[in-house]
Amino acid sequence: MSEGQPDFLWRSPEPRRAYEVVIVGAGGHGLATAYYLAREHGITDVAVLEKGWLAGGNITRNTTVIRSNYLWDESAAIYEHALQLWEGLAEELDYDLLFDQRGVLNLAHTLQDVRDSRRRVYANRLSGIDAEWLEPEQVAEVCPILDVSPDVRYPVLGATYQPRGGIARHENVAWGYARAADALGVDLVQECEVTGIEVERGRAVAVRTTLGRIAAGTIGLVAAGHSTLLADLAGVRLPLQSHPLQALVSELYEQVLPCVVMSNAVHVYVSQAHKGELVMGAGIDAYNSYAQRGSFHVIERQLAAALELFPLFASASVLRTWGGIVDVSPDASPILGPTPVDGLYVNCGWGTGGFKATPASGRTFAWTLAHGEPHALAAPFSLDRFATGALVDEHGAAAVAH
Amino acid sequence: MLIPCPWCGERDELEFSYGGEAGVPYPADPAALTDGEWAAYLFVRANPKGPFRERWVHAHGCRRWFDLTRDTATHEILG
C-alpha cells in the first residue's frame, strides 16, 4: 500500500435491482464511460458490473503507449481527442497518472515503410497532429541507444516522431476513473458475471448475473476480448475475433530509453517505465484464444527484434511475460455505438490499441448512451459500417502491426 | 503448441498458419444476399470460449489444409 493512500478508493456496494444504465466490464473503457456519464451528463444511476476484479483485464496488461498518429481522419480525430483529454486528465481526476509525454518514434526499415510513414506524417499534419519525419541521424539524437548503423538486418531508414505521445501508468488510470465515478454515485460491482441479457420485443431490458437479475434502461457492453460472448447472449453477432496479445518486462534498470520506440516491420514496441523496467509488446498470436497466454515463439521473435535495435538490451533479463485477450475487428478499428437490439450498445473492437483511446472511448460512448445516438467522433465506428462498406482500414496503416 | 497434421503427425506450431473458423460455406447464390447477409458472410465468424472447429495449413511442411477442434480457453487440441 502506497503511503497516504486510503485502504479503498471506491465502495463495493451490493447491486440494486435496477439502474438507468448498466455498463458491463470494469476495465479502463467501462470505468471511463461511467465517469463521463456521471460527470458530463448527470446520469449517476449507473452500475459497472465486473465478472472478476476491477481493472484485471487489458487495462493493466497493455504496454501503456499513448499516441494519436493514425493515418485515417476518423482514427486521428478520436485518438487525438483522447490525447487532448490525457493532457488534462490527472488534474481532472485529481489523481497522479504518471502521464509522461516523452515522445513516440515509429521506425521505418524499408523504402515502403519510408513512403508510408511520410504519407502518415503529412496526413497527421493536415489533421493538426504533431508529426515529424526524422532521418536516421535525427532518430539517433532522440534515442541515442538505438542502433541506426546501416549494416544491420533491419536498418533504421528513418522514423516518424510524435513529441506529444508518451506513456502513463495504466493501473492509476483505472483507479483514477473508478474513484471519480464512485464519488459521483456510480456503483462499481465486482465478482458479478453477466450470464444473460433479457430482450423483450427487440429491446434489452435487463441483465442476468451471478448476483441476480438487474433491470437496465440502457446496457453498454465494454468487455474487450469477451465482447462477442456477451453480445451472443442478446443474439447479436459481432465481427470480432479474440486473440492473445503478449507483453513482457525486464528487471529494473537505470533510465536508458528516453522515448517510446515502435517498429511495425519487426513487431516490437518498447518503452521504459518510471520504475525502470523495459516494457515490450509483441504482435498478436494468430489463433483465437481466451487463455490470456500465448506461444513462446512470439516472445522470442519480439526479443530478437528488440536486441537488433538495442544492442544494450543483450544483458537485460526478462522478469515476466503475460498476455491479454484482444478483440480484433476486420478493419482493425473499434466498434462503438448501437446494435440491432434497442437499448443495447457496444464499445469494443479496440484490438491491440485500446489503452491510448481510453478517455475518448469513455467520453464518446457516454455521450452515445446518454443521447441514444452516436457521438460525432464515434459515428464512423458504428457496427453498420461492415454492411455499408465504409471501413476505417487501419490494418498496417496505423504505424504499428495489429 | 504441437499441432497434429493428419499427414505429417505432430509438429511445432511454427510450421503452421492459421485459417480461422472451419466449415463456413461460400454462399450458394451471392447475388441474392442482402448487404447485411453478405457482410455477415465476409466479416462475422464464431468466436467461442471453449471447443472451436478451425482451419490450419501446414505451411512449412506438406502445405495441406485440414480442420481440427481446439479448446480456445485452454489451447488443448481435442481432435
Side-chain angles (χ1 to χ4, degrees):
Chain A
M1 186 75 54
S2 314
E3 207 174 319
Q5 188 106 298
D7 288 350
F8 297 100
L9 292 174
W10 52 83
R11 303 163 292 127
S12 287
E14 289 294 312
R16 299 198 300 273
R17 299 282 61 117
Y19 289 92
E20 187 175 346
V21 178
V22 165
I23 307 289
V24 184
H29 293 222
L31 293 167
T33 302
Y35 165 75
Y36 291 109
L37 271 174
R39 179 85 174 75
E40 299 195 336
H41 305 283
I43 300 173
T44 57
D45 184 17
V46 176
V48 183
L49 309 181
E50 169 56 51
K51 76 181 166 78
W53 63 93
L54 190 146
N58 294 347
I59 182 64
T60 49
R61 294 167 185 266
N62 62 74
T63 51
T64 82
V65 178
I66 295 167
R67 60 188 176 88
S68 64
N69 56 349
Y70 280 65
L71 176 63
W72 299 111
D73 290 350
E74 298 86 348
S75 315
I78 196 165
Y79 288 105
E80 175 59 22
H81 181 57
L83 182 47
Q84 290 178 15
L85 290 171
W86 280 114
E87 288 171 333
L89 195 59
E91 191 175 0
E92 178 174 346
L93 297 177
D94 189 25
Y95 200 75
D96 188 8
L97 307 177
L98 295 179
F99 175 59
D100 182 348
Q101 293 176 289
R102 55 177 59 185
V104 174
L105 287 172
N106 293 99
L107 305 181
H109 298 287
T110 66
L111 286 176
Q112 190 60 45
D113 269 356
V114 171
R115 294 184 193 107
D116 291 344
S117 299
R118 296 181 75 117
R119 177 191 178 199
R120 185 162 47 74
V121 165
Y122 299 139
N124 288 162
R125 286 194 182 169
L126 287 171
S127 297
I129 292 169
D130 58 321
E132 299 168 33
W133 170 255
L134 303 185
E135 297 295 334
E137 59 276 13
Q138 297 172 295
V139 174
E141 281 171 27
V142 172
C143 187
I145 65 167
L146 191 61
D147 184 357
V148 298
S149 59
D151 57 346
V152 293
R153 185 172 176 196
Y154 305 109
V156 175
L157 301 184
T160 69
Y161 184 47
Q162 184 176 27
R164 287 165 60 244
I167 56 173
R169 186 163 161 185
H170 47 200
E171 66 268 38
N172 286 32
V173 175
W175 297 342
Y177 273 124
R179 186 182 72 151
D182 175 86
L184 291 165
V186 171
D187 282 356
L188 307 178
V189 184
Q190 303 179 72
E191 296 180 348
C192 177
E193 181 172 1
V194 170
T195 56
I197 297 174
E198 291 180 17
V199 179
E200 284 179 8
R201 289 183 297 280
R203 180 169 188 89
V205 294
V207 290
R208 274 178 255 126
T209 80
T210 47
L211 297 180
R213 181 184 187 274
I214 300 172
T218 300
I219 299 170
L221 306 180
V222 196
H226 284 69
S227 294
T228 60
L229 302 178
L230 286 168
D232 284 348
L233 297 175
V236 174
R237 296 192 76 202
L238 297 174
L240 295 173
Q241 298 281 287
S242 297
H243 292 270
L245 180 65
Q246 301 187 73
L248 63 88
V249 291
S250 72
E251 295 172 303
L252 307 185
Y253 293 98
E254 62 180 287
Q255 294 291 324
V256 292
L257 184 59
C259 59
V260 180
V261 179
M262 314 181 73
S263 170
N264 187 356
V266 298
H267 273 271
V268 72
Y269 34 102
V270 191
S271 66
Q272 188 167 18
H274 291 89
K275 276 189 297 181
E277 311 103 306
L278 296 165
V279 184
M280 300 185 208
I284 60 170
D285 281 71
Y287 48 75
N288 289 28
S289 171
Y290 289 86
Q292 291 188 321
R293 60 185 168 80
S295 295
F296 185 70
H297 69 85
V298 174
I299 295 281
E300 200 173 20
R301 186 177 168 212
Q302 162 197 4
L303 279 174
L307 290 186
E308 170 90 8
L309 297 172
F310 302 98
L312 186 65
F313 292 179
S315 59
S317 301
V318 171
L319 186 63
R320 66 178 185 279
T321 76
W322 66 91
I325 299 303
V326 298
D327 45 334
V328 178
S329 69
D331 58 357
S333 286
I335 302 171
L336 208 168
T339 70
V341 174
D342 290 341
L344 182 69
Y345 296 77
V346 291
N347 182 356
C348 55
W350 291 95
T352 63
F355 175 69
K356 69 177 80 67
T358 303
S361 161
R363 186 162 189 255
T364 59
F365 195 51
W367 196 100
T368 300
L369 296 177
H371 290 82
E373 58 181 282
H375 184 280
L377 291 175
F381 302 105
S382 66
L383 182 57
D384 64 10
R385 74 178 184 272
F386 299 99
T388 64
L391 304 183
V392 186
D393 185 7
E394 289 289 352
H395 258 298
V400 65
H402 288 273
Chain B
M1 191 157 63
L2 289 176
I3 295 176
C5 172
W7 290 276
C8 308
E10 283 197 338
R11 298 294 184 91
D12 191 276
E13 177 202 333
L14 268 173
E15 297 183 14
F16 297 83
S17 294
Y18 189 61
E21 186 185 9
V24 180
Y26 190 77
D29 185 3
L33 299 186
T34 64
D35 287 353
E37 289 166 341
W38 180 245
Y41 165 69
L42 274 187
F43 297 125
V44 180
R45 293 291 179 270
N47 189 33
K49 184 176 189 173
F52 185 40
R53 195 73 183 157
E54 62 191 12
R55 303 275 284 153
W56 289 85
V57 58
H58 196 184
H60 300 292
C62 65
R63 298 167 70 181
R64 292 220 221 176
W65 284 91
F66 58 94
D67 297 353
L68 59 75
T69 303
R70 186 181 54 95
D71 189 317
T72 61
T74 64
H75 297 176
E76 184 186 359
I77 289 166
L78 305 169

